[in-house]
Each structure stands twice: as C-alpha cells, then as structure tokens.
Amino acid sequence: MWGSGLPEDSRLGRVESGPQRNQWHSHADHQSNQWHYPGDPNAGGLHAPHEPEEDESSGTSSADDRDGTWGESDVGGLNQRMAMEDYEALRRNLTNLSRTRSQLSRTKSRQETGSLYQTLSRVSGRPTESRKSIRRTATRGEESEVGDVEAGPDDKDEFELDTFMREGHFEKRVDGRSAKKVGVVYKNLTVKGIGSTASFVRTLPDAVLGTFGPDLYRIVSGFVPALRKKNSQTRTIIKDFTGVVRDGEMMLVLGRPGSGCSTFLKAVSNNREGYAEVTGEVSYGGIPAVKQKKMYRGEVNYNPEDDVHFATLNVWKTLTFALMTKTKKRAKEEIPIIAEALMKIFGISHTKHTLVGDEYTRGVSGGERKRVSIAETLASKSTLVCWDNSTRGLDASTALDYAKSLRIMTDISNRTTLVTLYQAGEGIFDLMDKVLVIDEGRCVFQGPAKDAKQYFIDLGYYCPDRQTTPDFLTAVTDPTERRFRDGCEATTPKTPDDLERAFRASDNYKKVLQDIESYEAHLNETDYVDAKEFEQAVQQGKSKRVPKKSSYTVSFHRQVWACTLREFWLIFGDTTTLYTKLFIIISNGLIVGSLFYGQPLNTEGAFSRGGTAFFSILFLGWLQLTELMKAVSGRAVVARHKDYAFYRPSAVSIARVVTDIPILFVQVVIFGVIMYFLTGLDVDVSKFRIYLLFVYVTTLCITALYRMFASLSPTIDDAVRFSGIALNLLIIYTGYVIPKTQLLSRTPWFGWLNFCSPIS
C-alpha cells in the first residue's frame, strides 16, 4: 500500500545533490517527485514547502524542521547530531541491560562452563589470548563512558593461576623455580598382556559349579602364583618405544581406541599391574623405575579415563580429603586455600556442597565429575602426570581451558605432562611441545608437534583444508579414513609395520635419539642435580614421623584419622541408606519381638527363648550384607589412592572398623532393647548387658567376614556367592539347628566349624 504512492521507488533512493529529503513529503525544490492523494485540494503537496536553515555550529537542520509534520525526526534530511544522540542513548540502554544481566548470570555461567579464559589469558601467551587482549585494548576507550562490562563483576574475584603457582602451594620453590622437576626417558619399552579369549554368558548351573570349582581356583591362584597356568597366551600391546619428555614439556599421544595409548601412559607412569610382562628401561631424571615405585610413587601419577569416586561425598570433601593426605601437619592451614583454588581453576565452585554421584546416585554432571577427577589428581602435587582422555565429557571451550591450565602448570612448575586425547582441537594441539602417534602398538611418529603434519604429508598422505592436525594424524592410522596425495597411493606406507619402519628410517627418529643423548649428557654434566634436589624436596614435604624410604606424605595414624573422617562423611552423606537401616531394625524388632511375645517361663519356652537369642545374633549379621557393595565398589577408589600415595589400604580397613564401633553399637542397642523386653527375657541388668555384648561382638565379626570376602573376590558377584555360602555354613554348624553333640559325633569332618564360628 505504502509503496504505491512512491514514484520511481524513491523511498529507498538517495538524491544525488542537496540535502537528504523525506520521501513521504513534498518540497518546493523537489517538484518532480511531488505527490498527493487523488482529490486532495492541496495540489502543491501535503504541507507547505519548507527550506531547511543551516545551523552555523553543526551545519545540520535544527529541531524546528519537524513543525507541521507528523512527528518524524527525519523531515528535511538526515540530522547527524540527533542520530548520534539516539545511537548513544540506545547503546547506553543496551550496555546497562547487559551489565545488569551479567551481574546476575556471569558468575554462574563462568562457573558452569569452567572457563579459564580470563584468568589464564595473561600467562599462556598463545595467539588466542593475544588477540583478545588486543581487542580489549582497542575497545577500552569506547567503553570508558559506560564502564568495562566484560571485566565487570569477574574482576573482583579474578583468580590468577600463575601467581598462585609461583607462591609454592603445589611444590617447593627455590629462587623462583620449582625444586621438583624430573623428565622421563624410556628405551625399548615393550608391554605384553594376556591374550583375550572368547567369553560366554554364564547360566545358573555354570555359576553353581563354578563356585566350587573354576571360580574358587581362579581366586586362590590369584594369591598363589605357583597354581597359575603357565601356558597362558600373551600378545604385544606396545612394541619397542624409545623417547624422552623433558621437564617443562607436554606430549600429546594420539591413536585410535585400542592402539595402545593408555598402555603407554601406564607404562611411563610406572603403573604396570595387570600386564603379563613389561620390558625396557624407564627412568625419571636419572631415578630408576624400581626406586621411584618404592620411594616416590606419588610423584608420578596416571589419571584414568573413568571417573570413579565415592558417590556420597561432596566435591569439597573429596578434594579436602586428598589434600589432607598430601599435606604435612605444619602446612595444614593451606588445605582450604588449595581446595578453593582448584575449584576456581576448573569452574566447579558452585558444586562445592553437591555430591559427586555416580550412575545410581544423583550428583554433579558428567563434565563436572571429570573436572573433580582432574582436580583430585592435581591435589596429589605430583611432578609427572599422565592424563588418559581427560577431556571426555567436556565441551570444546572447557577442554581448551583445561589444556591451557596444564600448559601454565607445566611451564611454571616445570612439570612433565603426557596427554592422550581422542578428539583434540587445533587450539589444544598448538599448546603441545611433542606428539606421539601410535598405530596398533607401533610408534609411527614421535617428535616436535610442528613437524608431525608435514612428515606424513611428505610420506604421501593428503590433509584436507578444514581437517585439524590431530584428526589428520589419527586418520593416518585408520584405513577407512586416510587419504593419499595424487600419485602416491602405491608408494605410501600403509600397515603399522611399514609406518614404523618408515619412521625409524627418517630424520625425525634420529632427532629423537639425539634428544635422548642430549638430555642424558645434561644429567651427567650436572651430576644429576635436579634428581638430588627433587629427592630433597620430597623429603622436606613429608611429616617427621614418615620414614625416608616411604612414598607417603603423612604418618600412618594421620592416614587412619583421615580415612575414619571420610567413612563418617560417607555414612552421613548417604542418609537414605541410614534411615532405611533404622526403619528395618525397628520394624523387624517389633515384628519378630511380637512373635515371641508372652513366652512361657517354664521349660516349655526354653527352645523358643533360644530362638530369640539366635535370631538376635543373626538379624544384624544379615543386615550387614550391604557392606559388600560398599567394599567392592570402593575398591577401585582405594587402589587409585594407593597409586597416588594418599594412604595405605590397611588404613582404610582400620578406619572402617573404628567407624563400625559407634555405628553398630547404636544399631545393636535399638534392636536389643526392643527384642529383649518385648520377648519377655529375664529383666536383669547384668544379663541384659551380656545379651547386648554378644550381639554386638558377633555383628562386628560377621561384618569383618563380609569385608574379607569383598577384598578377596574380584567382582561383587563372587563376593555375594561366597559370603552367602559362608554365612549359611556358620548358621548350620552353630549348634542350634543341629545339636553340638551330634555335629561332633556324626559329622566330625565338618563339626570343627562349630569351634571357629563366631555365631556359635
């Protein structure tokens, strides 16, 4: 409708000379474009002709140009001054709105994404940060009128990682440098594992027969090496790896899943349990692997891909416990400081009092749980860390920020860092010093990260323009993904063996050997001063009561104290289980007590009173079967903490017994009071105390029995089967169902169980 009244479509046009006209109005000097409604008496136009007056100060039309119009501000041409005022007013409104929203949501969003962009940009010196700092400087003057919105509320609690690291919270520093720095040299490293065989789904007969046959033999042979089969088939997982990663360097390990990346990291971190054979030489700054495993186990760590934690602990207690076992008593005031810093680094401060959770317990998200695992590993204050796919579950931005934090810690603390990632971006790749490419257990490239791409291109592989370097290096080992340059299909090596031979014949392999020689020559020239300084710093970081040859930081009684505190945290963190147990105890006490209510006081009630005592002893023992799941599920966490040198596994066993003393006492008292008085037993204080004592001690013994089977059994299925069989045997040979005299006279080959049964 409006377009029909504009001749020559002048509403979008611009006159070649003279002031800018309003296309909706007619002017005397623009009669050619004059228009009016049909039948309008004002043939000269809708309004009287108007000539704008020039303003001497600005050269633009004044505000009176709008007189006699419909209120448009653009009558008589474009007013630049008014347009700029409107633009500034609009920008101020938008800026104020942005500032208000950022004050409410910036902290939350920054914590949820785990962004380290602003906190790390001053240190990393990477192109991305440089570009952002330039962009901030360029816009600083523009934002001076309304304030710096981007650096608004975050500047108040901005965390400077480089400053925190230089203060020496994670390691001892001498003259502004780290006193704990060691590189790793591996020569002819070969790892063999037990060959996998076909597995079948077990049926009920298989499970029953296996309990008394193959399964029992497998468990026993695990503790008696002489009983193991000698003809087990093995296969080579990684073959003949040689290289060096100096202190202050980061190496990226690339390869397809199943190529041997995790095995390589475990072998380098001296985590060799579970492999049939590990050959070759691995040293850490001149310290042999055997000595490192015995005295400095917690200084070389491996962070696994799976995030396994105690689900009923919150994030704060998880990190605090780790620091309690890695901080000597004199420096315990630093524990909350480091814990807060770790949560700020990875943006999980908002999850401070949230349960870590797992597949069955609601807690933090998968990405946040991964960051908790990373923070716990950093809390170990280790010198060499191997990260196995540690960005799984993280978005691209958070993964890049995590890589930047590792880069800063590696640079400032002179740490040695090895990382394997299956989907690394170009930004992460640019942070690495070296790269190692593995194809089915063969080393097909090792050297500076900047040389890897060109090496494979020279071999004849083709890299598309938009493909990242890590994807290209991984695709080289994948027959379905790799592409060749024109004319190079026949000459390019394709199999893992061919790629390995091509690498060993290249100049890059010679550079690796020269790098090893140079590093070992440096160690000899300096008389291993870094290793000696490292050993001295580790000794100074231990408590006084810790032996010099021990790999732990705090004394054994402090380990027991920390584990005991954690056990109470676990119990009261899982209130659902606690209240369920309390309900079962009270309800069963009332139900069973009512069954034995009103027993005769003569000999007719002798057998039933024995049943009352027998059930009192058994019931809490049955209830303690729930300890099996806790013991088996927590075994992976205990094993990882042992590798981190947090505590001895025996400290956990003692801590659980110490925790059982008050917890089981409360359960026994509640159940005993209901059963004793409801069943009409003799109301005598001494007899009541004896009754509680026997029930209490028996419950403790049965709980310890369950935990023994949990520690001996490889899976929860085995633990439940053997625990159930053991409990039934103890019940049968107690002497209540079958009289004791009959047990000893008719079945002497099983009667001896009566003497070792805690129930009897």
Side-chain angles (χ1 to χ4, degrees):
M1 178 183 71
W2 292 103
S4 62
L6 293 177
E8 302 177 3
D9 202 17
S10 61
R11 65 187 184 278
L12 298 177
R14 187 177 184 91
V15 295
E16 297 180 359
S17 61
Q20 178 71 18
R21 300 296 182 180
N22 188 341
Q23 60 266 28
W24 301 106
H25 302 283
S26 176
H27 300 277
D29 58 348
H30 197 49
Q31 295 298 329
S32 62
N33 289 335
Q34 178 176 329
W35 64 278
H36 57 83
Y37 290 116
D40 193 338
N42 187 3
L46 293 177
H47 301 282
H50 175 75
E51 292 292 340
E53 298 179 0
E54 298 292 335
D55 192 343
E56 295 180 359
S57 60
S58 61
T60 60
S61 301
S62 63
D64 335 298
D65 295 342
R66 289 177 288 179
D67 293 343
T69 68
W70 291 336
E72 295 92 343
S73 59
D74 56 350
V75 175
L78 179 63
N79 191 321
Q80 297 182 3
R81 180 179 59 82
M82 296 179 62
M84 289 299 298
E85 291 178 356
D86 292 341
Y87 170 73
E88 290 296 333
L90 178 62
R91 193 176 70 161
R92 279 195 296 270
N93 292 335
L94 293 177
T95 301
N96 292 333
L97 179 62
S98 175
R99 180 189 300 175
T100 303
R101 289 181 177 178
S102 65
Q103 290 175 350
L104 297 176
S105 63
R106 180 175 293 274
T107 302
K108 181 180 179 181
S109 63
R110 178 172 176 264
Q111 291 173 342
E112 289 178 350
T113 58
S115 175
L116 304 174
Y117 195 78
Q118 294 178 352
T119 61
L120 307 181
S121 59
R122 301 182 182 178
V123 194
S124 60
R126 297 291 166 182
T128 305
E129 290 83 342
S130 301
R131 287 195 297 269
K132 183 158 186 177
S133 63
I134 294 173
R135 191 163 59 249
R136 286 185 180 179
T137 305
T139 58
R140 184 69 63 180
E142 224 177 83
E143 297 178 351
S144 59
E145 297 181 4
V146 295
D148 191 351
V149 179
E150 184 177 0
D154 288 341
D155 288 345
K156 297 179 181 179
D157 58 347
E158 184 174 349
F159 178 74
E160 294 292 345
L161 179 59
D162 61 331
T163 305
F164 184 81
M165 295 293 297
R166 296 182 192 279
E167 290 175 355
H169 293 284
F170 282 100
E171 75 282 323
K172 179 184 177 182
R173 300 186 68 84
V174 178
D175 298 332
R177 60 180 179 84
S178 175
K180 293 168 55 178
K181 53 180 182 179
V182 291
V184 57
V185 178
Y186 47 94
K187 298 180 180 179
N188 305 320
L189 182 61
T190 301
V191 179
K192 294 182 180 181
I194 299 176
S196 60
T197 58
S199 59
F200 302 93
V201 178
R202 304 184 66 180
T203 61
L204 179 60
D206 293 334
V208 174
L209 295 177
T211 303
F212 303 98
D215 293 343
L216 184 60
Y217 173 79
R218 175 169 47 87
I219 294 175
V220 174
S221 62
F223 298 94
V224 183
L227 299 177
R228 298 176 186 174
K229 296 181 179 180
K230 303 298 182 180
N231 56 350
S232 58
Q233 187 178 7
T234 61
R235 66 182 184 92
T236 302
I237 303 177
I238 60 174
K239 180 181 178 181
D240 200 14
F241 279 43
T242 300
V244 59
V245 184
R246 299 170 181 254
D247 55 278
E249 288 185 344
M250 294 181 65
M251 171 181 279
L252 177 63
V253 182
L254 295 176
R256 290 182 298 162
S259 60
C261 297
S262 300
T263 300
F264 170 73
L265 293 184
K266 288 182 179 180
V268 169
S269 61
N270 217 2
N271 190 355
R272 305 181 179 185
E273 292 80 5
Y275 296 107
E277 182 182 3
V278 179
T279 59
E281 178 185 352
V282 181
S283 61
Y284 306 91
I287 301 175
V290 177
K291 184 178 180 180
Q292 182 276 330
K293 190 69 173 179
K294 182 179 180 181
M295 299 180 59
Y296 309 108
R297 184 172 66 244
E299 297 298 327
V300 179
N301 289 338
Y302 167 77
N303 178 256
E305 181 178 0
D306 297 327
D307 306 315
V308 183
H309 300 276
F310 286 111
T312 55
L313 276 186
N314 59 35
V315 175
W316 171 258
K317 292 177 180 177
T318 300
L319 299 180
T320 301
F321 172 80
L323 292 169
M324 287 173 61
T325 57
K326 296 297 289 186
T327 306
K328 60 181 182 180
K329 190 174 182 180
R330 292 186 178 181
K332 62 180 181 180
E333 65 276 358
E334 292 188 358
I335 292 177
I337 299 175
I338 300 177
E340 289 283 359
L342 288 173
M343 290 192 295
K344 286 183 178 180
I345 290 174
F346 298 104
I348 53 176
S349 298
H350 63 289
T351 66
K352 180 176 182 179
H353 300 294
T354 306
L355 298 182
V356 176
D358 57 8
E359 296 84 354
Y360 310 102
T361 305
R362 185 177 180 180
V364 298
S365 65
E368 291 168 343
R369 191 177 300 117
K370 170 59 69 177
R371 284 176 267 176
V372 172
S373 301
I374 297 171
E376 184 188 53
T377 304
L378 293 177
S380 64
K381 305 178 182 179
S382 55
T383 307
L384 188 150
V385 186
C386 297
W387 305 91
D388 190 357
N389 198 19
S390 52
T391 58
R392 189 186 71 172
L394 303 181
D395 58 87
S397 176
T398 307
L400 179 59
D401 291 337
Y402 154 71
K404 291 177 182 177
S405 67
L406 291 184
R407 178 76 265 177
I408 291 175
M409 292 181 180
T410 302
D411 292 339
I412 296 179
S413 299
N414 286 96
R415 297 190 178 192
T416 307
T417 305
L418 291 89
V419 186
T420 177
L421 302 174
Y422 293 127
Q423 291 180 340
E426 194 69 30
I428 296 178
F429 186 81
D430 292 338
L431 298 173
M432 301 297 165
D433 300 304
K434 295 179 179 179
V435 64
L436 173 67
V437 184
I438 304 177
D439 185 9
E440 296 184 6
R442 304 296 192 272
C443 177
V444 298
F445 179 82
Q446 183 178 183
K450 58 184 178 62
D451 298 338
K453 181 177 180 180
Q454 190 60 43
Y455 167 77
F456 285 103
I457 292 177
D458 294 339
L459 282 182
Y461 290 96
Y462 172 72
C463 179
D465 294 337
R466 292 193 174 185
Q467 190 175 32
T468 62
T469 304
D471 289 343
F472 169 66
L473 298 179
T474 306
V476 167
T477 64
D478 190 352
T480 62
E481 295 291 337
R482 59 192 177 196
R483 299 168 62 182
F484 303 97
R485 292 191 288 118
D486 295 337
C488 298
E489 292 85 352
T491 59
T492 302
K494 301 176 181 62
T495 64
D497 293 333
D498 293 341
L499 288 170
E500 183 185 31
R501 283 194 295 267
F503 170 66
R504 290 183 179 273
S506 65
D507 294 335
N508 293 277
Y509 184 70
K510 296 178 182 178
K511 292 180 181 179
V512 172
L513 299 180
Q514 293 174 0
D515 194 13
I516 296 176
E517 294 177 0
S518 174
Y519 181 68
E520 292 181 339
H522 168 73
L523 295 178
N524 292 325
E525 292 174 0
T526 59
D527 195 20
Y528 299 93
V529 63
D530 290 340
K532 295 177 180 178
E533 196 174 60
F534 165 79
E535 294 177 349
Q536 183 179 3
V538 171
Q539 294 297 332
Q540 292 178 356
K542 296 179 181 179
S543 299
K544 290 184 177 180
R545 298 184 180 180
V546 178
K548 292 184 178 181
K549 294 185 178 181
S550 174
S551 59
Y552 299 98
T553 303
V554 298
S555 58
F556 183 73
H557 75 276
R558 285 196 62 197
Q559 296 175 18
V560 174
W561 163 251
C563 292
T564 304
L565 188 61
R566 185 182 64 178
E567 290 299 321
F568 280 107
W569 288 345
L570 291 172
I571 291 174
F572 294 105
D574 188 11
T575 54
T576 302
T577 302
L578 191 63
Y579 293 151
T580 303
K581 269 190 174 183
L582 183 62
F583 172 76
I584 292 174
I585 289 172
I586 295 176
S587 60
N588 276 269
L590 294 174
I591 293 172
V592 178
S594 63
L595 293 177
F596 292 96
Y597 180 75
Q599 299 178 83
L601 299 177
N602 52 23
T603 56
E604 294 180 0
F607 187 78
S608 61
R609 291 178 185 275
T612 301
F614 186 62
F615 181 81
S616 300
I617 292 175
L618 286 183
F619 173 70
L620 293 178
W622 284 331
L623 195 63
Q624 287 302 103
L625 268 173
T626 56
E627 292 296 320
L628 282 176
M629 178 60 71
K630 293 171 59 178
V632 173
S633 61
R635 191 165 50 191
V637 181
V638 174
R640 186 178 74 250
H641 288 176
K642 177 188 175 184
D643 293 335
Y644 289 176
F646 283 175
Y647 50 80
R648 299 177 184 272
S650 57
V652 181
S653 301
I654 296 175
R656 286 173 176 171
V657 174
V658 173
T659 308
D660 286 340
I661 293 175
I663 298 298
L664 291 182
F665 180 77
V666 174
Q667 296 180 11
V668 168
V669 169
I670 295 175
F671 181 77
V673 169
I674 297 175
M675 281 291 296
Y676 192 87
F677 294 103
L678 194 59
T679 55
L681 298 180
D682 195 5
V683 182
D684 184 270
V685 63
S686 58
K687 295 180 181 180
F688 177 66
R689 289 176 179 175
I690 293 296
Y691 170 82
L692 291 182
L693 177 64
F694 273 85
V695 175
Y696 181 59
V697 173
T698 304
T699 305
L700 284 174
C701 292
I702 295 177
T703 303
L705 179 69
Y706 292 154
R707 288 184 179 144
M708 181 193 71
F709 282 111
S711 61
L712 296 178
S713 303
T715 62
I716 183 63
D717 175 65
D718 297 325
V720 170
R721 281 187 292 160
F722 288 107
S723 298
I725 292 174
L727 181 61
N728 287 326
L729 290 176
L730 294 179
I731 292 174
I732 293 173
Y733 292 97
T734 298
Y736 177 74
V737 180
I738 303 176
K740 182 177 180 181
T741 55
Q742 187 176 350
L743 286 175
L744 299 178
S745 61
R746 296 186 179 181
T747 56
W749 49 88
F750 287 124
W752 59 271
L753 291 174
N754 178 266
F755 296 100
C756 62
S757 173
I759 301 177
S760 62

